[in-house]
Amino acid sequence: MSVSLELQSANRMFEGWHKKYRHRSSALNCEMTFSIYLPPQVDEGIKVPVVYWLSGLTCTDDNFSHKAGAQRWAAELGLALVIPDTSPRGEGVADDPEGAYDMGLGAGFYINATQAPWNSHYNMYDYIVSELPALVEDVFPVSDQRAISGHSMGGHGALMIALKNSDRYSSVSAFAPIVNPTLCPWGEKVFGNYLGDDRSEWQQYDTVELINAGYGKGLPILVDQGSADSFLEQQLLTDNLIAAAQQQKLDAEVRYCEGYDHSYFFMASFIEQHLRFHAQFLA
């Protein structure tokens, strides 16, 4: 795989390295950035497994990198962390015409758009599932064992992608995910614009719809949701996930965390548990 990576920054952390790179994405037709944390085990010649982290609305790779405190636990457990940006960016990339935060730049929703002008760049599903892992596994000392996690919009992406590709991911976890986007305002706005008016096309990117269709059998799933999350009732619809997982008898643990909100204070409190959850399924 011939891709030119441009190193943007490198920081020593917990005897490993946290690095940010820029590269040209063929899936997204633009320049993209991602961060990677390589734990100290790679210095011993070990190819380590990877946990992919998908961030939420308005975020870049920096939010998780700087706020979650995940590198400490990744170093202990021997896990690489790969943290992509949340959407295509740059000159010529479409954005919400009204400048809203919930569509366009920072709101890729990890799907492949089919409608103009979005379909020129917004193919985050292909980027996350195919292009980025191929690049990471070709360039860095990592194995082809993968887990995936995310927050909010990224939690939606992690769950949906893992359900559709359970042969590629050993486990999936999420914080405050958008689990039923076809029925919430964020999802209806974005899916209507990115995918068009045919709601049957939306279902392939909806976690609850995928579970109801039989996806996810045998896939270990962990979801944490804060009880004080202001987006819970209107946007996140966690109870719909619980009902679908119970109906389909999935290996899913969905936990309400009393008093926690939607912020990175919540994620920093539980990220160790999530990484330990993934580590038990990654050799």
Side-chain angles (χ1 to χ4, degrees), residues 127-139:
Y127 179 68
I128 299 299
V129 173
S130 300
E131 184 179 11
L132 185 58
L135 170 60
V136 167
E137 290 163 21
D138 182 59
V139 172

Side-chain angles (χ1 to χ4, degrees), residues 8-278:
Q8 302 289 293
S9 62
N11 300 95
R12 191 74 162 154
M13 289 190 74
F14 303 108
E15 303 306 315
W17 283 95
H18 186 91
K19 299 182 178 183
K20 180 195 282 283
Y21 289 92
R22 186 174 180 86
H23 74 107
R24 180 76 184 179
S25 166
S26 58
L28 302 174
N29 192 28
C30 67
E31 296 288 319
M32 288 293 288
T33 59
F34 70 91
S35 290
I36 183 168
Y37 177 71
L38 294 170
Q41 289 81 355
V42 302
D43 292 337
E44 303 168 12
I46 299 172
K47 285 195 170 186
V48 296
V50 180
V51 177
Y52 288 83
W53 173 268
L54 306 184
S55 297
L57 284 167
T58 75
C59 291
T60 68
D61 55 298
D62 286 341
N63 297 77
F64 181 76
S65 299
H66 294 181
K67 296 179 180 180
Q71 295 93 337
R72 176 190 298 272
W73 311 113
E76 176 185 325
L77 297 167
L79 302 175
L81 303 174
V82 172
I83 309 125
D85 201 350
T86 50
S87 71
R89 300 180 193 266
E91 186 177 353
V93 177
D95 195 10
D96 188 299
E98 298 179 357
Y101 74 92
D102 56 359
M103 190 174 73
L105 303 184
F109 264 81
Y110 306 102
I111 68 177
N112 286 340
T114 60
Q115 305 298 304
W118 312 102
N119 56 352
S120 295
H121 299 281
Y122 284 77
N123 296 301
M124 286 296 293
Y125 179 88
D126 283 350
Y127 179 68
I128 299 299
V129 173
S130 300
E131 184 179 11
L132 185 58
L135 170 60
V136 167
E137 290 163 21
D138 182 59
V139 172
F140 298 100
V142 301
S143 73
D144 60 0
Q145 291 187 294
R146 315 171 194 94
I148 191 166
S149 186
H151 167 236
S152 194
M153 177 186 72
H156 139 75
L159 289 169
M160 174 269 294
I161 284 171
L163 290 170
K164 289 166 68 73
N165 302 274
S166 58
D167 59 326
R168 294 178 61 86
Y169 301 96
S170 63
S171 53
V172 59
S173 72
F175 291 86
I178 305 167
V179 300
N180 208 171
T182 59
L183 296 182
C184 77
W186 279 339
E188 290 180 325
K189 176 180 177 178
V190 168
F191 284 12
N193 279 276
Y194 291 2
L195 301 173
D197 295 332
D198 183 356
R199 285 178 171 257
S200 66
E201 294 296 316
W202 302 5
Q203 295 178 0
Q204 63 181 307
Y205 297 116
D206 184 301
T207 291
V208 170
E209 293 290 345
L210 289 169
I211 290 173
N212 286 334
Y215 287 82
K217 303 295 185 183
L219 178 68
I221 300 169
L222 173 63
V223 173
D224 278 335
Q225 173 60 59
S227 66
D229 192 322
S230 60
F231 298 115
L232 176 57
E233 288 190 15
Q234 187 177 25
Q235 303 284 11
L236 306 180
L237 309 179
T238 306
D239 286 346
N240 293 7
L241 171 63
I242 294 172
Q246 290 177 344
Q247 177 68 29
Q248 296 297 324
K249 298 180 172 57
L250 292 192
D251 181 16
E253 183 177 8
V254 183
R255 311 185 298 197
Y256 276 105
C257 302
E258 187 64 32
Y260 287 90
D261 58 20
H262 201 72
S263 73
Y264 267 87
F265 294 110
F266 173 36
M267 279 164 278
S269 300
F270 292 94
I271 192 63
E272 177 189 0
Q273 294 181 26
H274 280 239
L275 292 181
R276 292 193 184 280
F277 165 76
H278 292 299

